[in-house]
Amino acid sequence: MTTTSRAVPGGPGRRPERPQLTERQEERRRRILKATAELAGLGGFDAVQMREVAERAGVALGTLYRYFPSKVHLLVATLQDQLRQLQETLRKRPPTAAEPGARVAQTLMRAFRALQREPQLADAMVRALIFADRSVGPEVEVASRLTSAIILDAMGAGGRPTPEQLSVARVIEHTWHAALITWLSGRASSAQVRTDIETVCRLVGAPADRP
Amino acid sequence: MTTTSRAVPGGPGRRPERPQLTERQEERRRRILKATAELAGLGGFDAVQMREVAERAGVALGTLYRYFPSKVHLLVATLQDQLRQLQETLRKRPPTAAEPGARVAQTLMRAFRALQREPQLADAMVRALIFADRSVGPEVEVASRLTSAIILDAMGAGGRPTPEQLSVARVIEHTWHAALITWLSGRASSAQVRTDIETVCRLVGAPADRP
DNA sequence: CGTCTGCCTGAAACTTGTTCTAGATTAGCG
DNA sequence: CGCTAATCTAGAACAAGTTTCAGGCAGACG
């Protein structure tokens, strides 16, 4: 048993994230993520069962685990996908409000409406994100960075945000996640979520350049 | 199979929370929670294994499940215990700062230091809290209410808080939970947690009577 | 073309949360 | 005390995440 360092498709190469993937491998990966999103959309976190994902994606169970080392990894990767899509959409149609705080609120409410259309998918992704332990650290970090970037963009702090702006964005991101959790677990209405989002955006002001 | 409504010790009686419990039963319940806290303190969420808890508590597995219908229920009950203890402590030594925001920050930092002493226990309880699904709704609600009460107390809104104060407390509670999560999953340092707490308390001001 | 290495498959095994069953114990109660 | 229903115990059984293993296939390289 030498230092095998079993070559995971998802990456021994450290930096290049996901190094060179064969065409067929890229294809497999896509099928896995598609199957995951389908099942998640159907029944949430619990409905994403690894055997079922593997079957739908037409890969062996072992292969699924080679691409994504755990169910949480798989779902966080799915979240990354969705966040990137959202980022695309926002780039095309940015929020229109004048105040930074209002723009952030507008952006998050848009995202929230999208999640409301697929509450089960939202459940799967968010639960995975917050349940993730240290072993998923890097992947969660990527998702978190995407979220922060979306918020900072809405704040108008696109390029080089100040430390203060970063702190504010963190607080907003935290509130966003926690509000989603309470909504998903049925302890808060969607109206309550809206209130929470508006409250935090209003209170912290999401200032673009305030000293 | 009639409408058995299997009489769980934890309560068919709805309101009285946990109705009349025999001495022996109360004793069992204590042993279970003790074993849970021990295991959790040792290795966090994953180390709390139902068989092991049952064995340490000296009860059968079936009994454990009769008292706490799932691992998450068990850990949320443990959290409730700890929160009540914290509340006691705070009643004896309330925060000293003059500003409401500062008092909240002081209170939360005190709680955070306590958690830092038992990071694994914190891991188990917090992960359970946020991972809880609808079936744990009532228990999570209790824990959430305890947390809110602690924050509102620190704000000086003890008796009858205004809607604005409730919103603010919600945002603070959300940030608190989310900050803990990022700390527990190793994506934020304890210094970062302190910053987040101070940021949200400062930004929202935790106003005691502001219109 | 043949071989070699690494990826993929199918299937079984293992782990841990959860459920179920049969029998022993206990708590209430007449 | 003796009866009844509820509770507890020991242990098997089941479900889903994860690991492992033997063998097949494919592309790289000589």
Side-chain angles (χ1 to χ4, degrees):
Chain A
M1 197 193 286
T2 64
T3 320
T4 33
S5 83
R6 51 206 261 279
V8 174
R14 268 298 166 189
R15 267 310 98 207
E17 274 311 312
R18 216 175 333 118
Q20 65 294 16
L21 274 221
T22 294
E23 189 62 35
R24 298 171 56 72
Q25 288 178 324
E26 200 61 72
E27 179 56 31
R28 270 194 203 98
R29 190 169 192 281
R30 253 191 299 276
R31 284 204 311 272
I32 292 174
L33 288 176
K34 180 152 169 291
T36 303
E38 283 174 12
L39 286 171
L42 211 53
F45 188 90
D46 294 330
V48 178
Q49 304 192 351
M50 302 303 270
R51 290 171 232 264
E52 179 80 13
V53 170
E55 185 170 356
R56 287 205 180 203
V59 303
L61 189 55
T63 305
L64 172 54
Y65 273 95
R66 179 185 284 271
Y67 280 73
F68 301 95
S70 81
K71 176 169 170 170
V72 170
H73 282 86
L74 175 57
L75 284 169
V76 171
T78 302
L79 173 62
Q80 290 177 11
D81 252 27
Q82 303 283 105
L83 283 174
R84 272 185 266 265
Q85 277 176 236
L86 173 61
Q87 215 174 20
E88 277 304 303
T89 306
L90 287 171
R91 236 192 287 280
K92 283 182 216 146
R93 308 193 306 124
T96 57
E99 286 298 304
R103 277 202 304 276
V104 173
Q106 203 181 342
T107 299
L108 293 183
M109 280 308 297
R110 204 188 283 178
F112 182 48
R113 275 188 292 272
L115 292 182
Q116 281 181 289
R117 265 174 254 125
E118 291 264 29
Q120 300 284 35
L121 176 59
D123 173 82
M125 295 189 304
V126 175
R127 297 260 293 283
L129 182 71
I130 59 178
F131 191 63
D133 67 352
R134 293 183 138 73
S135 72
V136 205
E139 287 79 1
V140 172
E141 187 64 31
V142 170
S144 178
R145 238 186 269 284
L146 283 168
T147 307
S148 291
I150 288 172
I151 293 173
L152 286 168
D153 274 356
M155 283 170 59
R160 10 75 226 102
T162 67
E164 172 73 3
Q165 288 174 325
L166 283 175
S167 284
V168 168
R170 278 177 66 86
V171 168
I172 293 178
E173 182 183 349
H174 287 174
T175 302
W176 163 245
H177 284 158
L180 283 182
I181 292 299
T182 58
W183 173 66
L184 289 169
S185 65
R187 305 198 319 281
S189 64
S190 54
Q192 184 77 81
V193 171
R194 166 193 278 262
T195 301
D196 286 355
I197 291 173
E198 286 169 353
T199 298
V200 71
C201 290
R202 177 168 46 83
L203 287 179
V204 307
D209 302 289
R210 209 189 285 168
Chain B
M1 196 192 285
T2 63
T3 321
T4 32
S5 84
R6 51 204 259 279
V8 175
R14 268 300 166 187
R15 266 312 98 205
E17 271 311 314
R18 216 176 333 119
Q20 65 294 15
L21 273 221
T22 293
E23 189 62 36
R24 296 170 57 71
Q25 287 179 324
E26 199 60 72
E27 179 54 33
R28 269 193 204 99
R29 189 169 194 280
R30 253 190 299 275
R31 284 205 311 273
I32 290 173
L33 287 175
K34 180 154 169 290
T36 303
E38 282 174 12
L39 287 170
L42 212 51
F45 187 90
D46 293 331
V48 179
Q49 303 193 353
M50 301 304 270
R51 290 172 232 264
E52 179 81 13
V53 170
E55 185 169 357
R56 287 204 180 204
V59 302
L61 189 55
T63 304
L64 172 54
Y65 272 95
R66 179 186 282 273
Y67 280 71
F68 301 96
S70 79
K71 175 169 172 173
V72 170
H73 282 86
L74 175 58
L75 284 169
V76 171
T78 303
L79 174 60
Q80 290 177 10
D81 253 26
Q82 303 283 343
L83 283 174
R84 271 185 267 266
Q85 278 177 236
L86 174 60
Q87 214 173 20
E88 277 305 302
T89 307
L90 287 171
R91 235 191 286 282
K92 283 182 217 147
R93 308 193 306 124
T96 58
E99 286 298 305
R103 277 201 304 276
V104 174
Q106 204 181 341
T107 300
L108 294 183
M109 279 310 294
R110 204 187 285 178
F112 181 48
R113 274 188 292 272
L115 293 182
Q116 282 181 289
R117 264 174 255 125
E118 291 264 30
Q120 300 285 33
L121 176 58
D123 172 82
M125 296 189 304
V126 175
R127 297 260 293 283
L129 182 71
I130 58 177
F131 191 62
D133 66 351
R134 292 182 140 73
S135 72
V136 205
E139 287 80 1
V140 172
E141 188 65 30
V142 170
S144 178
R145 239 186 269 284
L146 283 168
T147 308
S148 292
I150 288 171
I151 293 173
L152 286 168
D153 274 356
M155 284 169 58
R160 12 66 233 103
T162 67
E164 172 73 3
Q165 288 174 325
L166 284 174
S167 284
V168 168
R170 280 178 64 86
V171 168
I172 293 178
E173 182 183 349
H174 287 176
T175 301
W176 163 244
H177 284 159
L180 284 182
I181 293 297
T182 57
W183 173 64
L184 289 169
S185 65
R187 307 198 319 281
S189 64
S190 53
Q192 183 78 84
V193 171
R194 166 193 278 264
T195 301
D196 285 357
I197 291 174
E198 285 169 354
T199 299
V200 72
C201 291
R202 177 169 45 83
L203 288 179
V204 307
D209 303 287
R210 208 190 285 169

